[in-house]
Amino acid sequence: MVNIPIIPSVTEIHTELLPGIDKAWKVGQVLNATVERGGENLDKILLRIGHQVMESKTPLPLKTGEQIKLLVKTLGDTPLLNIITPPTTAQIAASHLRPFISAQADWRPLIEQMIKILGDNRLPANTRPLLQQFLQHIPSPEQLSQPQTLKQFIQHSGIMLEPNLAKNPAQPTADFKAQLQQLDTLLRNVSPVAGLTSHNEQAIRFIENYLRNPQLPLLRLAQELGALIKPADMRQLISAIELQKIDTPLTTAIMQLFSHVQKNQGTATLEQLLKLVNDQNTLGELKAAVSQSIAHISQQQLLPLLRDADSTLLLLFGLPLRHDNETHWINFRIEKEKESTQQTEAGWQVTLNFNINSLGPLQASLHLKGKQLSTLFRATQSNTLEKIRSYLPMLERALQRAGIEVIKLEAVQGKIEAPQTVMSNVHLLDEQA
């Protein structure tokens, strides 16, 4: 609250409301002020605003002579001004960084692509062990139910790779991001730019040059096409040719290329070329999925920089889950709250979002403070909700045996929003208020 007096320089300070303040100031107006007399938290201070010196009680320590900006929040009998604190270096950096962080899909397309490629048996020999190793590291529900094992998988989820490397330069082979980077490097060596872009005009010129001087080996020809045309675009082009939809310059050029190979080198050579092109498509799709997954992890590492300063720790990461020959995905969000006072222990808020085919979208929200725990499960399907509710008594007994005081343990049905990438500032005790 700000009481606004007029203070002559030779008189004793006294507090009175400045007449006509609602005409002099407007709500939302920003005022420039100088601290005439500073103080600590909740001390009375003197502020000079224009030609007037005013007495106020400050929520922040202010130094005599300090220049500040004040936002007019309310007028009337008890005017209220808010101190506008200048942005920190981190906040300025975050505001510049935010536009460059685009949303990235999770790892599911990559895992599906890996399983498909391993089944097709069309990988270079040195690539197969990396894919097999990656898939073998996907945990089961039983593994994630063990605290120490869960901790290891969180540490190896990719978001802690760089700090771990700073401590131990030997690259941790169990880390998901390290494995993806190794696979990305290998795929670049196999096919340097396959699947990165689509340059139709360059592809047409390349085919025309090849038809005039067909000296390239088939593998090199397939690699060059794969470098110029995205895998998805190439599949559409081949399908269009099979359906005799030769209605674009690029489909015409590729049709001429295939006809030339078949006429001059035979049907068997054309089939071999088509197989090589298909292999390039597969490698290009895998490479695109690997690059996207690395970008997804990097996004999770950067997003905490953009949060509000309401927590001392924010971790965003995802873990795949292998169950009944299916791969599911769990998005984790872990926040450590700020301590309100030195005597109050900081709380933790954990949110898990996952979607298992037989259960539908699910969300588990937990708020832990000391030994007190509040938990809310949210499901979209009524049958899933009933299943969760049937296990709540068992979960409550297990938590009590672990020394946890259960404040709240509920399950509700409702729409589940996408996982947040900024601070939620919502406590579970208030979720249904």
Side-chain angles (χ1 to χ4, degrees):
M1 180 176 66
V2 176
N3 294 317
I4 306 171
I6 299 176
I7 308 170
S9 58
V10 295
T11 62
E12 182 181 354
I13 295 174
H14 64 281
T15 299
E16 62 184 36
L17 191 63
L18 182 67
I21 187 174
D22 55 341
K23 296 180 180 179
W25 293 351
K26 301 297 182 184
V27 174
Q29 183 178 358
V30 176
L31 308 173
N32 294 314
T34 302
V35 180
E36 291 284 305
R37 185 184 70 198
E40 298 299 321
N41 297 51
L42 304 181
D43 285 350
K44 289 184 178 181
I45 63 168
L46 297 182
L47 298 176
R48 178 177 294 277
I49 303 177
H51 298 292
Q52 306 297 334
V53 177
M54 307 169 194
E55 185 180 62
S56 176
K57 183 179 287 188
T58 174
L60 300 173
L62 292 175
K63 296 179 180 180
T64 300
E66 186 175 353
Q67 303 290 321
I68 61 174
K69 290 184 179 294
L70 301 172
L71 174 67
V72 181
K73 294 291 289 184
T74 61
L75 296 173
D77 294 337
T78 55
L80 179 64
L81 304 180
N82 274 9
I83 298 174
I84 302 176
T85 56
T88 64
T89 302
Q91 290 171 332
I92 295 174
S95 66
H96 289 289
L97 182 62
R98 185 178 286 108
F100 297 97
I101 302 181
S102 57
Q104 300 289 336
D106 58 37
W107 301 2
R108 276 172 291 194
L110 170 64
I111 295 172
E112 293 170 359
Q113 191 69 23
M114 286 182 172
I115 295 173
K116 175 184 175 182
I117 290 177
L118 285 172
D120 289 346
N121 198 28
R122 288 180 295 180
L123 277 175
N126 54 352
T127 310
R128 180 173 294 275
L130 281 177
L131 266 63
Q132 291 173 331
Q133 180 185 28
F134 187 92
L135 294 175
Q136 288 170 357
H137 277 98
I138 296 179
S140 65
E142 292 75 17
Q143 290 176 300
L144 292 186
S145 64
Q146 302 298 321
Q148 285 301 118
T149 307
L150 174 60
K151 180 179 178 181
Q152 290 178 354
F153 277 110
I154 292 175
Q155 291 175 336
H156 295 155
S157 64
I159 61 168
M160 301 180 185
L161 173 62
E162 287 76 13
N164 290 338
L165 285 176
K167 296 176 183 177
N168 181 12
Q171 193 175 53
T173 56
D175 187 275
F176 285 136
K177 186 177 180 180
Q179 293 179 17
L180 290 173
Q181 289 174 334
Q182 187 179 359
L183 181 59
D184 183 62
T185 300
L186 183 59
L187 290 173
R188 287 180 184 274
N189 292 333
V190 171
S191 182
V193 289
L196 288 183
T197 187
S198 185
H199 300 295
N200 292 354
E201 293 182 1
Q202 292 182 33
I204 292 172
R205 288 196 297 271
F206 168 74
I207 292 172
E208 290 173 347
N209 291 335
Y210 177 84
L211 293 177
R212 288 193 292 268
N213 185 24
Q215 301 298 321
L216 283 180
L218 290 182
L219 177 59
R220 179 68 183 279
L221 175 60
Q223 288 178 339
E224 291 291 341
L225 290 174
L228 292 170
I229 306 173
K230 292 180 180 178
D233 293 344
M234 179 62 82
R235 294 192 191 282
Q236 291 180 0
L237 290 168
I238 293 178
S239 298
I241 291 172
E242 292 175 349
L243 297 174
Q244 295 299 308
K245 293 183 178 180
I246 317 299
D247 54 1
T248 67
L250 185 56
T251 52
T252 300
I254 292 178
M255 184 62 180
Q256 291 173 347
L257 171 65
F258 291 164
S259 298
H260 176 87
V261 172
Q262 185 175 28
K263 178 180 178 180
N264 293 278
Q265 302 183 49
T267 302
T269 304
L270 175 61
E271 292 177 352
Q272 185 181 0
L273 174 61
L274 289 173
K275 180 182 181 304
L276 290 173
V277 168
N278 191 45
D279 290 347
Q280 289 298 305
N281 286 340
T282 302
L283 289 174
E285 289 170 342
L286 176 61
K287 187 188 179 313
V290 169
S291 299
Q292 186 179 44
S293 298
I294 294 174
H296 177 72
I297 296 175
S298 299
Q299 176 199 40
Q300 290 176 323
Q301 293 175 298
L302 289 173
L303 282 173
L305 298 175
L306 309 183
R307 73 188 189 279
D308 298 328
D310 292 324
S311 71
T312 56
L313 174 69
L314 173 62
L315 290 178
L316 301 169
F317 59 94
L319 288 179
L321 174 69
R322 194 80 173 143
H323 180 59
D324 290 340
N325 294 323
E326 292 182 351
T327 302
H328 310 288
W329 193 258
I330 306 177
N331 284 301
F332 286 78
R333 177 190 177 93
I334 300 177
E335 304 171 34
K336 184 180 181 182
E337 300 167 344
K338 277 189 173 180
E339 298 178 2
S340 56
T341 64
Q342 293 182 350
Q343 291 78 26
T344 303
E345 185 177 357
W348 291 84
Q349 187 159 321
V350 181
T351 305
L352 286 76
N353 283 73
F354 45 98
N355 189 344
I356 297 176
N357 295 337
S358 59
L359 300 178
L362 284 170
Q363 184 182 75
S365 301
L366 303 90
H367 187 262
L368 179 66
K369 194 162 190 177
K371 292 289 186 178
Q372 296 182 331
L373 177 68
S374 297
T375 304
L376 179 69
F377 293 94
R378 194 182 300 274
T380 58
Q381 300 179 8
S382 57
N383 57 339
T384 300
L385 177 64
E386 294 307 316
K387 288 181 181 179
I388 295 174
R389 285 177 173 170
S390 67
Y391 283 101
L392 290 183
M394 182 187 302
L395 175 60
E396 183 172 10
R397 290 193 295 271
L399 291 170
Q400 290 172 345
R401 286 195 299 269
I404 301 296
E405 180 185 355
V406 179
I407 303 299
K408 176 181 177 180
L409 185 58
E410 292 187 19
V412 299
Q413 183 177 1
K415 183 180 178 181
I416 296 175
E417 301 294 336
Q420 293 178 327
T421 55
V422 294
M423 289 296 296
S424 59
N425 292 327
V426 174
H427 294 266
L428 288 178
L429 295 177
D430 304 323
E431 277 224 14
Q432 292 184 305

